[in-house]
């Protein structure tokens, strides 16, 4: 085998470092930011932030652009690994590449200036997002925070009181997964959730069962992780919550209000 040249040796040294271990790469924030920076692509990403898969036509309509323009934007987002695509028949369905993409969008929302509200429809949508929405595949907003608080009060979860205290926070920041405290599911909680039809023994093994996010609008904790997703899915199945017309917005149904009060003692104020 021929000896490596001096230049090749220098390049190899830069890649491996002095200890022979591969160097850690810095993240290309600019590339990711450029993908999100286009207003049409940002609207597409927000449409998909609830974790659902949507066809290109629906995304084009929500973004207010032509099908051809949407196709070009979607191709860039897939190439940039922010979206994944799956073909079903003649249609292609797009979804976020994972919960980390949704978390990044939530974090950007925290520092982004508010869009000007110029219509009653926009005002209603903003209020609906604060009231109850999805954070990828689990509940957020006032409903998500109230549900978390009730789970703590009923001893379904232990470990913290659900309150975000900025002055005491070390790693916790609004609009991101929390890391400062740990919540645990109790045996009593397993029984209570089983009564709702949530089998806590069948949660995805490769995903943390109990996590929390610091809600960007309420600045409190809401339930995430496998349990948060399973509970949210069950509430949809029961018909206690339903999708709204705007992306990510969910509505608590009359049946849901009664069911949550009877099963968990959760009463939402008007």
């Amino acid at each position: 085998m021929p000896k490596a040249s001096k230049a090749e040796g220098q390049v190899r040294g830069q890649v491996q470092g002095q200890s022979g271990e591969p160097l850690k790469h810095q993240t290309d924030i600019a590339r990711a930011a450029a993908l999100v920076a286009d207003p049409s692509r940002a609207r597409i990403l927000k449409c998909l932030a609830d974790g659902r898969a949507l066809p290109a036509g629906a995304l084009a309509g929500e973004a207010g652009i032509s099908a051809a323009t949407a196709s070009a934007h979607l191709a860039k987002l897939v190439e940039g690994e922010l979206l994944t695509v799956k073909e079903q028949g003649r249609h292609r369905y797009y979804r976020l590449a994972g919960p980390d993409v949704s978390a990044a969008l939530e974090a950007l929302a925290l520092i982004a200036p508010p869009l000007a509200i110029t219509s009653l429809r926009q005002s209603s949508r903003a209020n609906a997002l604060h009231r109850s929405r999805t954070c990828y595949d689990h509940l957020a907003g006032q409903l998500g925070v109230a549900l978390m608080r009730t789970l703590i009060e009923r001893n379904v979860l232990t470990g913290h009181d659900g309150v975000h205290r900025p002055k005491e926070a070390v790693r916790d920041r609004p609009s991101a997964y929390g890391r400062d405290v740990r919540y645990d599911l109790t045996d009593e909680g397993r029984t209570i959730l089983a009564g709702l039809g949530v089998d806590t023994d069948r949660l995805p093994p490769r995903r943390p069962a109990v996590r929390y996010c610091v809600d960007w609008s309420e600045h409190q904790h809401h339930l995430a992780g496998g349990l948060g997703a399973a509970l949210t899915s069950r509430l949809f199945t029961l018909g206690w919550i339903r999708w709204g017309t705007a992306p990510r917005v969910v509505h608590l149904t009359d049946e849901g209000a009664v069911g949550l009060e009877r099963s968990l003692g959760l009463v939402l104020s008007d």
Side-chain angles (χ1 to χ4, degrees):
M1 181 179 296
K3 293 183 178 180
S5 67
K6 182 177 180 181
E8 289 174 338
Q10 289 175 340
V11 171
R12 189 174 299 132
Q14 292 173 357
V15 174
Q16 292 185 334
Q18 298 298 322
S19 64
E21 295 293 328
L23 294 176
K24 293 183 179 179
H25 296 286
Q26 294 189 21
T27 53
D28 191 353
I29 296 176
R31 181 168 178 264
L35 287 170
V36 181
D38 182 272
S40 295
R41 289 198 291 270
R43 285 193 290 270
I44 288 172
L45 289 168
K46 285 194 289 185
C47 288
L48 296 169
D50 56 18
R52 289 184 291 176
L54 294 176
L59 294 170
E62 187 64 33
I65 54 180
S66 68
T69 301
S71 179
H73 284 312
L74 288 167
K76 290 182 179 180
L77 291 170
V78 171
E79 181 183 3
E81 299 183 350
L82 296 187
L83 299 183
T84 60
V85 59
K86 182 178 181 180
E87 293 190 13
Q88 292 185 2
R90 296 182 301 171
H91 299 284
R92 307 184 84 193
Y93 286 81
Y94 296 83
R95 69 166 69 242
L96 293 188
D100 287 344
V101 180
S102 179
L105 295 175
E106 289 273 311
L108 285 174
L110 187 67
I111 62 173
L115 288 170
I117 294 179
T118 59
S119 67
L120 178 60
R121 179 185 178 186
Q122 289 176 323
S123 176
S124 298
R125 177 177 294 190
N127 289 333
L129 282 170
H130 280 73
R131 185 168 55 251
S132 52
R133 64 181 184 275
T134 53
C135 176
Y136 192 60
D137 58 3
H138 52 270
L139 285 175
Q142 294 170 359
L143 177 59
V145 166
L147 180 60
M148 180 72 164
R149 183 170 57 246
T150 298
L151 294 176
I152 295 169
E153 292 172 350
R154 288 293 306 275
N155 197 42
V156 174
L157 298 174
T158 61
H160 197 260
D161 62 3
V163 177
H164 174 61
R165 299 176 176 86
K167 293 183 179 179
E168 300 175 11
V170 178
R171 294 175 294 176
D172 281 5
R173 297 292 182 272
S175 191
Y177 281 127
R179 293 177 172 84
D180 283 352
V181 300
R182 171 179 169 174
Y183 288 98
D184 292 303
L185 178 63
T186 67
D187 291 337
E188 181 182 1
R190 292 178 184 276
T191 301
I192 291 174
L193 292 175
L196 279 172
V198 178
D199 187 350
T200 56
D201 292 327
R202 297 177 64 87
L203 298 177
R206 296 184 179 181
R207 183 178 185 182
V210 181
R211 296 192 71 177
Y212 69 97
C213 295
V214 181
D215 198 277
W216 68 261
S217 63
E218 303 306 304
H219 296 269
Q220 304 293 322
H221 298 173
H222 66 242
L223 180 63
L227 182 59
L231 181 54
T232 301
S233 177
R234 181 58 179 164
L235 295 180
F236 274 118
T237 299
L238 290 170
W240 291 6
I241 56 176
R242 62 175 176 81
W243 291 110
T245 56
R248 301 182 60 198
V249 171
V250 296
H251 297 295
L252 178 67
T253 64
D254 292 340
E255 183 181 1
V258 172
L260 287 174
E261 182 176 0
R262 287 179 176 174
S263 60
L264 295 175
L266 171 58
V267 179
L268 292 171
S269 58
D270 296 331

